[in-house]
Amino acid sequence: MQSLQVYNSYTRQKESFVPIVPGYVGMYVCGPTVSGESHLGHARPFITFDVIYRYLMHLGNKVRYVRNITDAGHFEEEGREAEDKISKKAIIERLEPMELVQKYTNLFHWAMRQFNNLEPSIEPTATGHIVEQIEMIKKIIAEGYAYAINGSVYFDVKKYAEKYPYGKLSGRILDDLLESTRDLENQEEKHNWQDFALWKAAPPEHIMRWESPWGEGFPGWHIECSAMSTKYLGTQFDIHGGGMDLLFPHHESEIAQSTICNHRVPARYWIHNNMITINGKKMGKSYNNQIRLTELFTGDHPLLAQAYSPMTIRFFILQTHYRSTLDFGNEALQAAEKGLRRLWEAHLALQKMNWVAGGPQNAELDQKIRRLLSGLDESMNDDFNTAKTMANLFEIVPTINSIKDGHIQSGSLAEDTFMQLKKYFTDYLENILGLRDESGAEHSKLHGVLDLLIEIRKDARSRKDYVTSDKIRNQLQQIGILMKDEKDGKMSYSLE
RNA sequence: GGUUCCGUGGCCGAGUGGCUAGGCAGAGCUCUGCAAAAGCUUCUACAGCAGUUCGAAUCUGCUCGGAACCUCCA
């Protein structure tokens, strides 16, 4: 079997994934800025990297997954208005900055739980690592690649580019960068306009501020990731991930800072997920076209035809390869909802089945199932192709349903194939893709009531009292419970 | 303007030289008291033009259309 291949943004090609220390993987993913509510676009990287995290563990690795919380705030426009995004919003909402940050952090964590994302190993905050950031800036100054001026510190991009491949990650050529036409205050402080801030002096009205060797201020917007990834994963680690929109300047700057400070490129594999678009345009604050997660879950948004559950969204996202754009649309979401139900019901049915010897062996079918199962691993190993993986799972569904309906005997498969089938479905659906039941299975009393209704309905049907049996089924349907008559005379139900 | 990427059937979306993608929707049949679900069968593709090749959705060139980044951004 082909080993795990990963598309590395840094080299622009697929490469075999080999951890620095075999069996151990360090992964850093850029987390949310908690100055506002998460939208659909934010869901993608965290679901994508959750699956990557799960799959790396599935392969037997011990993974340290670090995902930061950016709670220090960055500039809307660096240098123009000395107003921190977070402190600005705080004034509007009349909240303490940390109160605001706490509120959106809580909301973010809530959303992550809705999506069934595993918690990262470490979730460091920018405000909790001011000391580490200052230390790093000091080192960069000592190396001669940064300069302090008027209480701010800037990274000397031009000098760096003379010796190191600045722009390699983002495919940028320094001279080709479009010079900003805006009038920026404090621009004259910089030696070159490409230089970026490591530390910014805080004007008096700025609420978030810390003491530093250069005066009171706050960290620039790339240094936190460099400082925290170095602290928790070392000077060089395996994977650095995030959205494609972070390639430049964020990750390019991280590489520059870390390279000077630690004398090596920080991460070996750079993985970037593509954007979610809406009407062909990236969903983002610049376009003012976001659909917040809370709106998605409730359906309360003009663009939404209905509410979509967290698992529907997870499924929707994973049905596309992470490096492709994914276009939002009600039809697509509804297709995902139905597809998920079909897949999940087959999974539930499969787990209840047992292999029973007997019936004619079907070698061809057995081969096909085995081929599809190994295709699951192959697809995931091919740069985490969850779209292909899910297509494979769907191809197995008719066989599962045929066994369930008695069209095929479980014994027509080899016992080992059947057991593998059950194992793979659980591994892939629950452990790797991270899907879970949303039917409200926790209401055990409800299940008792439904079992009673099933009994009554069975009695009614046996007396050909279809008025009663239809009444039970129809009224349950009205409150969102589907009762189905199965082939074997049993009844099943599913909660919407 | 620079850099990069994309254009697949009604919708979403895999696939990078020859072999069925898959999901949703549509059509037919089977099963069923009915319904739903399910099973089987089935229709609609590779933006356009030219080239390379025995053979291209897949490689090359051009044209048209769209996007991302270059500014906070997942």
Side-chain angles (χ1 to χ4, degrees):
Chain A
M1 189 179 77
Q2 173 83 299
S3 67
L4 178 59
Q5 304 290 305
V6 172
Y7 182 85
N8 189 350
S9 307
Y10 194 65
T11 56
R12 286 152 198 266
Q13 59 186 11
K14 281 186 196 170
E15 298 174 356
S16 286
F17 179 75
V18 182
I20 295 167
V21 180
Y24 293 83
V25 177
M27 177 164 82
Y28 187 93
V29 175
C30 290
T33 300
V34 284
S35 61
E37 211 180 311
S38 297
H39 63 257
L40 176 59
H42 294 121
R44 194 172 193 190
F46 304 127
I47 289 171
T48 297
F49 286 100
D50 183 61
V51 171
I52 290 174
Y53 178 42
R54 288 166 177 271
Y55 190 65
L56 288 170
M57 290 195 292
H58 172 78
L59 293 179
N61 295 293
K62 179 162 172 39
V63 185
R64 178 176 284 175
Y65 174 21
V66 181
R67 187 183 65 205
N68 65 296
I69 295 273
T70 298
D71 58 352
H74 301 313
F75 284 115
E76 290 289 346
E77 283 168 12
E78 187 181 296
R80 190 175 78 167
E81 292 183 41
E83 213 168 19
D84 181 303
K85 249 184 3 193
I86 286 167
S87 62
K88 184 178 181 183
K89 194 81 178 282
I91 291 162
I92 293 166
E93 297 202 3
R94 299 191 187 288
L95 290 170
E96 274 298 315
M98 290 315 290
E99 187 182 359
L100 183 74
V101 156
Q102 186 69 57
K103 174 183 163 186
Y104 288 121
T105 300
N106 292 344
L107 204 51
F108 173 74
H109 285 150
W110 170 82
M112 292 301 100
R113 285 194 299 275
Q114 297 301 303
F115 285 130
N116 201 27
N117 283 342
L118 298 174
E119 290 172 4
S121 323
I122 304 176
E123 197 170 45
T125 60
T127 55
H129 296 76
I130 299 294
V131 172
E132 286 83 353
Q133 295 178 70
I134 290 174
E135 285 307 309
M136 194 161 191
I137 295 167
K138 281 171 155 173
K139 276 191 197 166
I140 296 169
I141 293 175
E143 293 281 344
Y145 282 88
Y147 52 92
I149 183 164
N150 300 335
S152 295
V153 182
Y154 296 97
F155 188 89
D156 190 339
V157 171
K158 201 170 180 183
K159 180 172 179 184
Y160 176 83
E162 285 167 8
K163 196 170 165 190
Y164 301 97
Y166 183 81
K168 177 174 174 179
L169 176 69
S170 55
R172 217 119 312 200
I173 299 160
L174 201 54
D175 296 333
D176 289 344
L177 292 177
L178 188 71
E179 190 159 0
S180 175
T181 53
R182 272 191 289 260
D183 258 346
L184 298 177
E185 271 176 45
N186 301 329
Q187 272 298 90
E188 66 278 6
E189 286 184 358
K190 295 183 184 178
H191 293 354
N192 294 290
W193 67 269
Q194 297 97 334
D195 294 350
F196 57 86
L198 296 170
W199 187 264
K200 287 293 286 182
E205 69 273 19
H206 203 278
I207 302 169
M208 284 192 154
R209 55 203 300 134
W210 290 268
E211 192 58 58
S212 84
W214 315 283
E216 282 197 6
F218 50 96
W221 59 285
H222 310 303
I223 194 75
E224 63 171 272
C225 288
S226 292
M228 296 191 290
S229 63
T230 303
K231 174 162 183 173
Y232 297 114
L233 296 171
T235 53
Q236 191 172 52
F237 51 93
D238 298 297
I239 296 173
H240 191 127
M244 269 183 189
D245 49 355
L246 296 179
L247 265 166
F248 190 90
H250 186 55
H251 290 158
E252 197 71 59
S253 302
E254 268 190 69
I255 289 175
Q257 294 164 351
S258 293
T259 299
I260 293 306
C261 188
N262 302 321
H263 309 290
R264 57 210 299 199
V265 177
R268 306 221 301 187
Y269 302 92
W270 290 80
I271 300 179
H272 292 94
N273 63 276
N274 214 317
M275 302 291 104
I276 288 182
T277 58
I278 182 162
N279 297 322
K281 280 263 192 289
K282 171 186 167 183
M283 187 180 286
K285 65 183 68 154
S286 313
Y287 300 107
N288 213 349
N289 60 358
Q290 310 104 306
I291 301 175
R292 289 195 289 249
L293 293 177
T294 48
E295 294 167 336
L296 219 40
F297 298 161
T298 59
D300 184 20
H301 188 283
L303 288 171
L304 296 174
Q306 59 169 88
Y308 299 102
S309 75
M311 283 307 111
T312 297
I313 292 159
R314 188 174 178 104
F315 184 92
F316 172 68
I317 286 173
L318 294 177
Q319 231 180 350
T320 307
H321 186 81
Y322 74 90
R323 283 192 288 115
S324 301
T325 55
L326 169 57
D327 199 46
F328 164 88
N330 279 291
E331 266 187 285
L333 261 315
Q334 284 160 359
E337 184 179 75
K338 287 183 185 165
L340 170 61
R341 182 180 301 165
R342 176 174 153 83
L343 192 56
W344 193 260
E345 287 188 357
H347 170 53
L348 292 181
L350 174 63
Q351 297 311 322
K352 284 183 196 153
M353 287 178 203
N354 291 306
W355 185 80
V356 181
Q361 289 277 312
N362 187 336
E364 198 185 333
L365 182 66
D366 194 87
Q367 280 294 311
K368 184 184 167 191
I369 296 298
R370 289 200 160 271
R371 181 171 51 77
L372 288 169
L373 291 180
S374 65
L376 297 172
D377 296 330
E378 282 163 24
S379 302
M380 285 304 287
N381 279 339
D382 184 13
D383 195 29
F384 312 105
N385 193 334
T386 54
K388 190 84 191 335
T389 298
M390 286 163 83
N392 261 22
L393 289 168
F394 271 110
E395 286 198 69
I396 299 171
V397 166
T399 301
I400 294 171
N401 286 331
S402 291
I403 294 172
K404 179 186 165 198
D405 290 348
H407 296 141
I408 299 175
Q409 305 304 310
S410 60
S412 58
L413 297 175
E415 184 175 14
D416 183 55
T417 304
F418 186 81
M419 298 316 286
Q420 287 291 316
L421 178 60
K422 283 181 82 161
K423 183 176 185 309
Y424 264 83
F425 256 70
T426 301
D427 276 352
Y428 268 85
L429 285 179
E430 298 187 19
N431 300 335
I432 296 171
L433 297 175
L435 298 168
R436 72 172 166 210
D437 204 295
E438 286 185 316
S439 67
E442 68 274 14
H443 303 308
S444 60
K445 283 180 184 168
L446 177 61
H447 288 286
V449 172
L450 282 165
D451 286 343
L452 175 64
L453 284 169
I454 282 175
E455 232 174 275
I456 294 169
R457 184 156 181 274
K458 271 187 184 165
D459 284 348
R461 290 187 74 211
S462 67
R463 292 193 311 270
K464 297 203 188 301
D465 177 6
Y466 295 123
V467 175
T468 304
S469 71
D470 286 352
K471 184 176 180 182
I472 291 172
R473 188 176 62 198
N474 293 341
Q475 297 214 357
L476 282 175
Q477 191 175 0
Q478 279 179 17
I479 59 171
I481 298 171
L482 288 181
M483 192 168 273
K484 290 182 267 190
D485 300 330
E486 300 294 345
K487 288 279 193 283
D488 54 7
K490 290 182 181 161
M491 293 179 197
S492 68
Y493 56 88
S494 57
L495 310 179
E496 297 267 283

